[in-house]
Amino acid sequence: ETGVTQSPTHLIKTRGQQVTLRCSSQSGHNTVSWYQQALGQGPQFIFQYYREEENGRGNFPPRFSGLQFPNYSSELNVNALELDDSALYLCASSRLGGGANVLTFGAGSRLTVL
Amino acid sequence: AQSVAQPEDQVNVAEGNPLTVKCTYSVSGNPYLFWYVQYPNRGLQFLLKYITGDNLVKGSYGFEAEFNKSQTSFHLKKPSALVSDSALYFCAVRDMVGSSNTGKLIFGQGTTLQVKP
């Protein structure tokens, strides 16, 4: 089975720009969640998508938005980039159906905002 | 609020010695607890989880964790450390507030494990 793949692996943007990060779920998984991992910190939950709708959101402003597509792949969009948005962005997929589900993470997209 | 704490930023151990990486949690109700490991330039890899049942949970790569309800702890252990175990370890708890079907995990700050030959 294929794992979770993310693209791009690295990118550099300037303040005020917009960025789109992409994620392909593991085969058989129907739920995608996104996490932000700042340097030296644990991952922070951004939001989760199921059936192409957001069904859970962390403490992130509306300029963080996402999409889930019928094939369960996903995008994370961040508008009006700020310096503090520099981080590793992790995508994780799972099968929805209970709190015991294990999340499978991708390798991440490292965003640097200058 | 639900939270997880990893009191040690770094743990150093000699190869062949036992290792322990500490984690304490604060949740309402019964916790769903997880350990993940992160190698450089890699995503998080699942090691093990506690949902219910036996307090000693066995996971991948020879790791195990002991759930202690009275001490609200979920320490990660391995009887004999390998140099290749050197990595960043995260404890996490499932956020059960509002819905049991949300995928949200609350992570600790992480503990760097350094195993020296």
Side-chain angles (χ1 to χ4, degrees):
Chain A
E1 60 183 16
T2 58
V4 176
T5 58
Q6 293 185 241
S7 63
T9 54
H10 296 82
L11 69 167
I12 300 173
K13 294 285 187 177
T14 57
R15 278 185 304 173
Q17 285 188 313
Q18 178 266 343
V19 67
T20 297
L21 307 178
R22 295 177 175 83
C23 172
S24 293
S25 302
Q26 178 168 309
S27 176
H29 287 183
N30 55 15
T31 302
V32 174
S33 49
W34 286 89
Y35 288 77
Q36 180 195 66
Q37 185 180 11
L39 197 62
Q41 304 293 318
Q44 299 288 318
F45 176 76
I46 303 175
F47 44 54
Q48 175 178 283
Y49 277 81
Y50 172 65
R51 290 184 175 176
E52 303 176 45
E53 291 190 359
E54 184 183 297
N55 76 335
R57 189 177 183 92
N59 189 26
F60 282 82
R63 61 189 184 83
F64 285 77
S65 63
L67 288 171
Q68 186 185 29
F69 300 100
N71 66 354
Y72 306 122
S73 65
S74 176
E75 287 182 355
L76 165 65
N77 299 288
V78 187
N79 294 321
L81 284 167
E82 300 177 0
L83 296 179
D84 286 347
D85 295 334
S86 295
L88 180 68
Y89 288 86
L90 296 166
C91 172
S93 69
S94 63
R95 289 197 61 80
L96 192 66
N101 281 334
V102 172
L103 300 185
T104 300
F105 284 84
S109 293
R110 185 165 297 282
L111 171 64
T112 301
V113 182
L114 302 176
Chain B
Q2 302 187 108
S3 65
V4 167
Q6 294 180 243
E8 302 156 317
D9 289 335
Q10 182 158 327
V11 170
N12 298 309
V13 64
E15 188 175 31
N17 283 359
L19 70 88
T20 298
V21 182
K22 296 180 180 178
C23 172
T24 59
Y25 65 89
S26 174
V27 302
S28 54
N30 295 319
Y32 288 0
L33 294 160
F34 301 78
W35 276 100
Y36 282 83
V37 59
Q38 187 175 36
Y39 295 97
N41 301 314
R42 303 273 293 275
L44 276 69
Q45 297 178 30
F46 169 74
L47 285 177
L48 51 79
K49 67 180 179 182
Y50 173 83
I51 305 302
T52 186
D54 195 349
N55 289 343
L56 185 63
V57 179
K58 294 190 182 297
S60 306
Y61 314 118
F63 284 94
E64 57 190 27
E66 186 171 9
F67 173 71
N68 188 317
K69 188 172 184 177
S70 62
Q71 297 185 5
T72 61
S73 67
F74 188 55
H75 300 333
L76 181 70
K77 300 182 179 184
K78 188 174 183 181
S80 179
L82 300 173
V83 172
S84 57
D85 293 330
S86 298
L88 183 57
Y89 290 80
F90 289 100
C91 181
V93 64
R94 178 78 81 206
D95 185 1
M96 302 294 282
V97 175
S99 168
S100 64
N101 284 335
T102 180
K104 179 181 179 181
L105 287 178
I106 299 169
F107 285 87
Q109 293 285 82
T111 299
T112 298
L113 174 66
Q114 190 79 272
V115 181
K116 297 182 179 179

